[in-house]
Amino acid sequence: MNSTDTRAAPGSGFTVFETAIGWCGIAWGPGGIAGVQLPESDRERTLARLQRRFPSWRQAAPPPEVQQAMDGVVSLLRGEQPDLAAVSLDMAAVPAFNQRVYGVARSIPPGQTLTYGEIAARLGEPRLAREVGQALGQNPFAILVPCHRVVAAGGKTGGFSARGGVATKLRMLALEGAATPQLLPLFD
């Protein structure tokens, strides 16, 4: 995931919250959600990662729209299938190509997958599968931009830059009911 270091604007903040598979974090600003931290094994690790990503921001109580996004993430990681596509994301610092990739990724329903090549084709850029993978590796909005639903061709899982790597990706796909080659524990 990309490191995000933007100055804290009024209305910006971050918080951590517990899910069925660990502690997640979320940061927000006036333009929407600025970042999501995938599950860690404990609250302190998640908080430390958010503080590194958003060093000038402060922990705060989430506004109602952020709380709704958090509730959706909790629901998803409990094995339910909420629609998170409408959550407002602050993409001001996100490159245009990545924004396009994230738009396609957000259209993948829970329990389904697309390949990097299929996303590239949907963008009208069929030879840019590798660049799609790189954009997803920089995804600051993991879960809300469900990069875990993007796999490699030929039934391979592809990479995953979050803590736990591919094991985390497979666990999240399994929670959603997607067909996965194997189920691995989230934390060793």
Side-chain angles (χ1 to χ4, degrees):
M1 265 178 265
N2 232 10
S3 174
T4 305
D5 186 19
T6 57
R7 294 203 184 266
S12 298
F14 63 80
T15 193
V16 296
F17 57 101
E18 194 169 14
T19 74
I21 64 171
W23 287 85
C24 288
I26 193 164
W28 63 89
I33 303 299
V36 176
Q37 178 60 49
L38 283 169
E40 291 281 347
S41 58
D42 61 63
R43 181 185 187 285
E44 291 72 28
R45 286 183 188 196
T46 303
L47 186 58
R49 284 190 188 262
L50 280 172
Q51 289 170 331
R52 282 193 301 274
R53 285 178 68 185
F54 301 94
S56 64
W57 297 33
R58 298 290 169 246
Q59 193 168 1
E65 62 275 7
V66 174
Q67 184 62 54
Q68 287 179 327
M70 291 166 49
D71 293 344
V73 170
V74 168
S75 176
L76 183 76
L77 296 178
R78 203 174 34 227
E80 299 170 13
Q81 297 191 354
D83 183 3
L84 301 173
V87 173
S88 179
L89 304 178
D90 182 352
M91 293 217 198
V94 175
F97 180 77
N98 293 24
Q99 289 182 34
R100 293 174 56 215
V101 170
Y102 300 165
V104 175
R106 288 187 90 186
S107 73
I108 306 169
Q112 296 183 27
T113 61
L114 288 177
T115 66
Y116 301 105
E118 288 171 329
I119 288 182
R122 288 186 183 192
L123 295 173
E125 307 278 358
R127 294 184 177 186
L128 297 184
R130 182 178 306 230
E131 289 80 358
V132 166
Q134 291 169 345
L136 292 168
Q138 298 168 2
N139 176 13
F141 313 105
I143 300 176
L144 299 178
V145 172
C147 50
H148 63 281
R149 296 181 190 149
V150 184
V151 297
K156 297 178 183 171
T157 57
F160 200 59
S161 60
R163 182 185 180 280
V166 173
T168 299
K169 181 176 191 169
L170 290 171
R171 177 73 174 129
M172 291 173 70
L173 286 170
L175 283 169
E176 294 181 3
T180 58
Q182 57 185 340
L183 179 60
L184 300 172
L186 182 58
F187 300 109
D188 294 332

